Amino acid sequence: MVKRENERIPVSQQAHVVDKPKDLTNIGGTVSVQINEKKITVPLGTTILEACQLNQIHIPTLCHHPDLCIAGVCRVCVVEVEKMRTLQTACSFPIMSPIKIKTSTEMVRKARRHIIDLLLSEHYGECYSCFRNGNCELQNLAKEYGVDNYTFGHVQSPRYEVDNSSAAVVRDMNKCVLCKRCVRTCIDFQEVGVLEAIDRGHDTHVGTFLDKPLADVVCINCGQCINRCPTAALRANDPSDEIWTAIDDPKKHVVIQTAPSPRAAIGEEFGQEPGKSFTGELNTALRRIGFDRVFDTNFTADLTIMEEGTELLTRLKKALVDKDQSVKLPQFTSCSPGWVKYIEHFYPEYLDYLSTAKSPQQMFGALIKTFYAKEENIDPADIVTVALMPCAAKKFECNRPEMYDSGFKDVDYGLTTREMAKMIREAGIYLPEMPKSQFDDPFGDASGAGLIFGATGGVMEAALRTAYELITGREVPFENLIIEPCRGFEGVKQASVKLENCVEQYKFLEGVELKFVVAHGTANAKIVMEMLKNGELNDVHFVEVMACPGGCLGGGGQPIPTSAEIRKKRAEAIYEEEATLPIRKSHENTHVTYLYEKFLTDGPCGKLSHKLLHTHYVKRGKYIS
Amino acid sequence: MLVLEKNALSEEIESLVNQFGKERSALLQILQAIQRKHKHISDFAQQEVARMMEIHPVEVNSVVSFYSFLCTQPKGRNIVRLCQTISCDMAGKEKVEETVQRELGIKFGQTTKDKRITLEFTNCLGMCDQGPAMLVNEKVYTKLDPETAINILNEIK
Ligand code: SF4
Ligand code: SF4
Ligand code: SF4
Ligand code: FES
Ligand code: FES
């Protein structure tokens, strides 16, 4: 199988990347340079920026992002390199000889200030009403370089219309600084290819194919571009005003479900270090804000495992016992709405491989307005369901016309972690100091298996814990239920477990090597789809795909900034919390059992669950007319 | 566009990609070839180029929108570009401009009804010492005055 390093190199840059020796002592592989007064030794090919960062020398940057390839377009990182006539950009200058660098001379400072002034002269800045106020790289640069007047003028009124067409991503090119991070995110990092620089000179702007509204092109709503934009030119479609209205309306019963990833990241919005979950604190804060019930999306994550797992077993049985040639295997997960839209656009002929199970968010919505409404005796028309998600695509998902199975809009609003933090601040609450509290019944606290859905490989791990046990009657043969091959951030992971001594019902699986593949980020999803096309997945049974790098914890609705290191810490927070939970297998979640006894009485993949918990997909294709 | 036309265009692009290759550097040559033949690069053509070169349509669109000699809407059979940069401007570009507009009955930026000529401005053609300069398709004419300009225009089909 294709092995790709986690560090992806876009095709356009492969020729320019210098291999760095892993071992620094490797003779000939290193070079000594002098930065300001300091002499240091770095591997050949290290950029000036990297060398400075390793030595705590600050260089301002704007177009540079640790997740993306080098661009060198903004020029704010210029430094002086001895014997070179002009200033050099630190981010794109690979050190190949023993040079002397100065990072803060008069020339450097003046040039940087000029560059910032020039950027501001084109930037429609109105910081008070801006969602990046206080977390904006341009604003920070202006502060850092003491901008106290507009040397080259300032834009007085917006030049571009705001593109509000998409349910997920809002584009306001008046705030764009043309750093092209979004372009590199979408083309190189996600390989969707929605955004590029259009036109030339003063007219240059970041646009879509033929400058169509975002809703009319192949955007999968992943929101990864938002997380990497240094300014407010890209933001998520924020429904918080509507949610406040619902909360303030005494007739409305407003319930919220919270996904695991926002809980592991929302602390960052309150100045906390990445890597700590605030689940209990968040529950209390949400109640104080005025939500009538706080539910755990992990409940429906557990339910997803039951439904998707049953679906997989049914497919396996059809394929192995009935020898039905039409059965599609491997089965692909369907919980990531960005991934679903990706396959609808780019591989519509493979839609039958997708599980028909809805995502946990949508399952929950459908249950709240049916099962819960009945249990609590509330008119579903009065219920407003909010979903706190790490994801921008969830906003699109809840607006899909297929998502009205309860007879109402199943999920009224998808809210991102950032927007939730904003609401919490607005309510005058400092999250880290909230007392902890539990989730509300009838869905209660979920299993740890649902919790790890937040990290790439989590769905697979949860599914295996349940499937293996159902099939063999024993726990998965991994210490502490930790299925190591599912964890970590490698782009495409592949592993297998052998099924032995199966219980009577699943004897047909005796001796089968259950093979699975895990991919995260649509660039890796593309690799997997090409493998499927080439027949390389013929012996694989189950594939997990998440549209966002790192899985949901790296979602497009998560706090800004993001980097591989931050995502790793969020994953640690999730796995740490998981290890402390008493129940760690989906099928042992008693609330799920209760639901199947009381409501979905014909069991997983039964008639009612097909109506409420499963869906169908649209063949979209990628041609735009 | 009719299906047949689309198929013909796809085939044509395929042979261009075979001829120039799939490297990114081939993109401009391919686009120029399409532009030369069809006088524009349609939405469909851009997407076909992208598909066959295994890049994204928006990347093709980005290149097409960057170069003023490439365009997305059909233009006239002949494209006349008058230099608008300062040397030519001072050498009498304005007179030529006015006469040409009057003679053809269209403004710069427009195409004649019979699709014979599209008028456009261009920036410096490197003929500053011999201005006013004008480019008719791929041929440069210099030292124009209103009369010579009209004569040139009258000769093109
Ligand atoms: S993008 Fe940054 S600089 Fe621009 S208005 Fe918003 S906060 Fe201010
Ligand atoms: S949301 Fe995702 S697919 Fe859409 S433009 Fe942004 S990065 Fe591209
Ligand atoms: S939209 Fe944001 S990320 Fe994209 S070029 Fe503009 S400022 Fe940079
Ligand atoms: S950060 Fe180096 S050029 Fe933009
Ligand atoms: S100014 Fe017209 S050719 Fe140079």
Side-chain angles (χ1 to χ4, degrees):
Chain A
M1 103 176 243
V2 255
K3 271 270 178 195
R4 276 229 209 174
E5 287 274 325
N6 234 9
E7 189 190 21
R8 300 190 58 262
I9 302 164
V11 194
S12 52
Q13 299 225 337
Q14 269 158 10
H16 312 292
V17 173
V18 186
D19 278 332
K20 285 176 206 160
K22 294 251 147 51
D23 178 10
L24 290 193
T25 53
N26 191 343
I27 300 163
T30 60
V31 57
S32 297
V33 289
Q34 185 174 337
I35 306 181
N36 301 336
E37 302 316 316
K38 203 165 169 179
K39 280 206 168 62
I40 56 169
T41 303
V42 291
L44 276 173
T46 305
T47 63
I48 296 180
L49 179 66
E50 286 166 334
C52 289
Q53 281 169 343
L54 284 173
N55 288 281
Q56 284 76 40
I57 297 167
H58 175 69
I59 305 273
T61 55
L62 189 61
C63 68
H64 180 80
H65 192 284
D67 280 335
L68 306 174
C69 66
I70 292 165
V73 294
C74 76
R75 320 305 285 181
V76 301
C77 64
V78 284
V79 293
E80 252 183 75
V81 177
E82 204 181 87
K83 297 211 184 88
M84 296 203 80
R85 191 173 56 87
T86 52
L87 295 176
Q88 301 296 316
T89 44
C91 70
S92 61
F93 191 109
I95 301 174
M96 300 302 276
S97 55
I99 47 174
K100 281 189 188 159
I101 302 154
K102 293 215 172 93
T103 68
S104 176
T105 61
E106 185 190 356
M107 183 151 75
V108 166
R109 275 195 319 274
K110 282 195 174 153
R112 286 182 188 162
R113 170 72 195 266
H114 262 97
I115 289 160
I116 295 164
D117 279 340
L118 281 168
L119 286 170
L120 294 179
S121 75
E122 296 262 298
H123 181 81
Y124 180 58
E126 21 114 40
C127 297
Y128 314 118
S129 59
C130 183
F131 111 93
R132 291 298 290 271
N133 192 0
N135 182 19
C136 168
E137 292 182 35
L138 184 62
Q139 204 184 37
N140 287 347
L141 280 175
K143 185 175 173 198
E144 201 175 309
Y145 282 83
V147 172
D148 48 4
N149 68 327
Y150 299 121
T151 317
F152 304 114
H154 194 53
V155 186
Q156 293 304 326
S157 54
R159 272 170 77 193
Y160 299 100
E161 213 174 299
V162 177
D163 179 1
N164 262 322
S165 62
S166 156
V169 182
V170 180
R171 298 173 59 242
D172 179 359
M173 287 305 109
N174 298 299
K175 306 243 173 97
C176 176
V177 292
L178 295 173
C179 67
K180 288 181 84 181
R181 283 196 199 169
C182 55
V183 171
R184 282 172 283 153
T185 306
C186 199
I187 293 181
D188 290 336
F189 199 60
Q190 287 291 70
E191 287 192 24
V192 182
V194 172
L195 305 170
E196 242 301 359
I198 305 288
D199 291 338
R200 181 187 59 223
H202 181 253
D203 296 327
T204 313
H205 60 278
V206 171
T208 58
F209 183 61
L210 308 175
D211 269 327
K212 297 251 178 205
L214 201 56
D216 296 348
V217 294
V218 292
C219 171
I220 62 164
N221 303 305
C222 66
Q224 290 299 314
C225 51
I226 303 178
N227 282 10
R228 288 171 186 77
C229 179
T231 69
L234 297 168
R235 61 175 196 265
N237 206 336
D238 181 358
S240 54
D241 285 342
E242 285 92 327
I243 297 172
W244 280 122
T245 313
I247 289 176
D248 294 336
D249 182 345
K251 281 210 296 292
K252 295 285 183 206
H253 183 77
V254 190
V255 304
I256 186 165
Q257 48 164 314
T258 74
S261 297
R263 310 190 308 229
I266 196 165
E268 295 163 34
E269 287 278 339
F270 293 87
Q272 306 290 305
E273 282 294 306
K276 187 165 183 296
S277 281
F278 286 90
T279 312
E281 291 86 344
L282 186 62
N283 287 347
T284 316
L286 294 178
R287 287 195 186 89
R288 292 213 185 153
I289 284 183
F291 287 100
D292 295 295
R293 290 286 186 287
V294 183
F295 297 136
D296 187 352
T297 306
N298 298 348
F299 167 78
T300 32
D302 284 336
L303 199 62
T304 302
I305 291 298
M306 300 306 289
E307 294 290 332
E308 222 167 72
T310 309
E311 189 185 349
L312 177 63
L313 289 174
T314 317
R315 287 194 195 196
L316 285 174
K317 179 148 190 273
K318 275 194 194 148
L320 296 176
V321 181
D322 310 340
K323 305 280 179 228
D324 182 346
Q325 295 289 327
S326 67
V327 172
K328 301 288 188 244
L329 282 171
Q331 176 178 308
F332 282 73
T333 58
S334 56
C335 9
S336 167
W339 151 240
V340 168
K341 193 153 183 267
Y342 181 83
I343 184 171
E344 285 178 334
H345 278 303
F346 295 94
Y347 296 92
E349 64 280 25
Y350 290 97
L351 279 176
D352 289 342
Y353 288 81
L354 270 188
S355 161
T356 58
K358 284 184 188 170
S359 71
Q361 158 176 299
Q362 291 307 129
M363 284 195 183
F364 222 134
L367 286 176
I368 288 173
K369 293 197 177 176
T370 53
F371 167 71
Y372 171 77
K374 209 163 97 201
E375 288 253 310
E376 302 279 308
N377 214 352
I378 306 173
D379 181 358
D382 288 332
I383 300 181
V384 176
T385 49
V386 180
L388 169 59
M389 293 288 147
C391 179
K394 293 281 174 193
K395 294 172 188 287
F396 171 83
E397 185 184 31
C398 75
N399 283 309
R400 287 178 73 122
E402 300 92 31
M403 299 298 175
Y404 285 76
D405 287 331
S406 62
F408 301 86
K409 190 178 175 191
D410 294 340
V411 172
D412 292 282
Y413 306 108
L415 195 68
T416 64
T417 313
R418 296 188 294 266
E419 292 149 5
M420 189 77 255
K422 187 190 94 176
M423 288 181 75
I424 293 175
R425 277 194 293 268
E426 222 174 323
I429 295 169
Y430 180 62
L431 183 75
E433 283 173 5
M434 282 287 109
K436 294 185 189 203
S437 60
Q438 302 289 303
F439 288 101
D440 284 313
D441 281 333
F443 304 113
D445 291 329
S447 82
L451 185 69
I452 55 174
F453 264 55
T456 165
V459 177
M460 188 60 69
E461 183 165 350
L464 286 178
R465 285 182 191 171
T466 291
Y468 189 89
E469 196 160 327
L470 289 185
I471 296 168
T472 65
R474 300 182 307 274
E475 278 193 351
V476 274
F478 289 91
E479 203 184 324
N480 248 332
L481 296 176
I482 294 173
I483 308 181
E484 207 47 68
C486 292
R487 301 198 174 182
F489 289 105
E490 201 190 321
V492 180
K493 289 169 279 192
Q494 196 170 26
S496 61
V497 272
K498 199 160 173 106
L499 300 170
E500 278 163 330
N501 300 328
C502 299
V503 297
E504 203 45 49
Q505 191 189 351
Y506 296 110
K507 269 285 176 262
F508 65 94
L509 289 171
E510 187 65 50
V512 169
E513 180 109 359
L514 194 61
K515 284 201 171 160
F516 52 92
V517 167
V518 174
H520 60 118
T522 36
N524 293 314
K526 188 172 167 187
I527 296 177
V528 172
M529 290 312 290
E530 291 302 320
M531 289 166 75
L532 177 67
K533 255 189 176 171
N534 300 336
E536 291 167 51
L537 297 185
N538 285 348
D539 56 346
V540 173
H541 303 103
F542 196 28
V543 180
E544 176 202 304
V545 181
M546 294 292 159
C548 289
C552 309
L553 55 87
Q558 291 282 67
I560 300 168
T562 181
S563 67
E565 201 182 321
I566 293 176
R567 294 193 288 276
K568 192 163 158 255
K569 286 196 180 138
R570 289 178 189 156
E572 280 163 13
I574 288 180
Y575 286 130
E576 225 164 77
E577 188 178 348
E578 201 278 321
T580 66
L581 292 183
I583 295 178
R584 294 173 59 210
K585 297 173 225 155
S586 299
H587 57 282
E588 289 177 358
N589 181 337
T590 49
H591 302 277
V592 170
T593 335
Y594 179 78
L595 183 78
Y596 280 119
E597 272 165 21
K598 280 276 149 107
F599 186 64
L600 303 170
T601 44
D602 41 3
C605 293
K607 229 175 132 213
L608 188 57
S609 86
H610 251 286
K611 176 173 181 294
L612 292 177
L613 309 183
H614 291 254
T615 184
H616 57 272
Y617 308 105
V618 185
K619 282 195 171 150
R620 294 180 201 270
K622 62 181 177 186
Y623 272 77
I624 298 165
S625 55
Chain B
M1 225 195 262
L2 295 170
V3 179
L4 272 179
E5 278 172 10
K6 279 192 175 177
N7 289 345
L9 189 55
S10 297
E11 267 175 37
E12 188 188 323
I13 294 173
E14 199 178 332
S15 73
L16 286 173
V17 173
N18 286 339
Q19 184 188 341
F20 293 110
K22 282 187 180 180
E23 293 291 306
R24 272 171 190 256
S25 49
L27 179 59
L28 209 48
Q29 284 166 299
I30 293 171
L31 292 177
Q32 278 177 319
I34 301 172
Q35 174 81 31
R36 210 170 293 132
K37 177 145 181 224
H38 299 271
K39 303 293 168 207
H40 78 295
I41 305 167
S42 66
D43 310 354
F44 178 74
Q46 292 181 44
Q47 298 186 66
E48 281 298 270
V49 171
R51 181 174 66 89
M52 290 177 211
M53 296 188 70
E54 291 170 37
I55 57 179
H56 302 284
V58 73
E59 295 179 89
V60 177
N61 194 211
S62 176
V63 172
V64 172
S65 70
F66 185 87
Y67 292 101
S68 37
F69 280 32
L70 302 177
C71 62
T72 55
Q73 296 300 328
K75 287 187 183 171
R77 291 193 298 281
N78 301 288
I79 299 179
V80 173
R81 296 179 171 98
L82 182 63
C83 172
Q84 62 175 1
T85 306
I86 189 147
S87 303
C88 290
D89 192 69
M90 287 168 63
K93 158 237 167 198
E94 210 157 307
K95 277 230 175 66
V96 176
E97 176 188 347
E98 280 163 16
T99 327
V100 165
Q101 292 197 26
R102 204 164 340 111
E103 176 74 13
L104 295 177
I106 52 166
K107 295 229 144 43
F108 272 77
Q110 297 178 335
T111 303
T112 54
K113 271 229 181 68
D114 59 1
K115 299 261 181 273
R116 193 169 67 93
I117 290 178
T118 298
L119 286 183
E120 277 180 8
F121 286 122
T122 177
N123 290 323
C124 183
L125 298 166
M127 295 290 171
C128 320
D129 57 328
Q130 305 171 41
M134 178 170 87
L135 192 63
V136 176
N137 299 326
E138 284 169 14
K139 197 162 175 207
V140 190
Y141 294 87
T142 54
K143 295 196 179 152
L144 297 170
D145 57 38
E147 207 179 321
T148 46
I150 303 280
N151 286 343
I152 293 165
L153 294 190
N154 282 342
E155 263 169 40
I156 51 181
K157 302 255 154 52

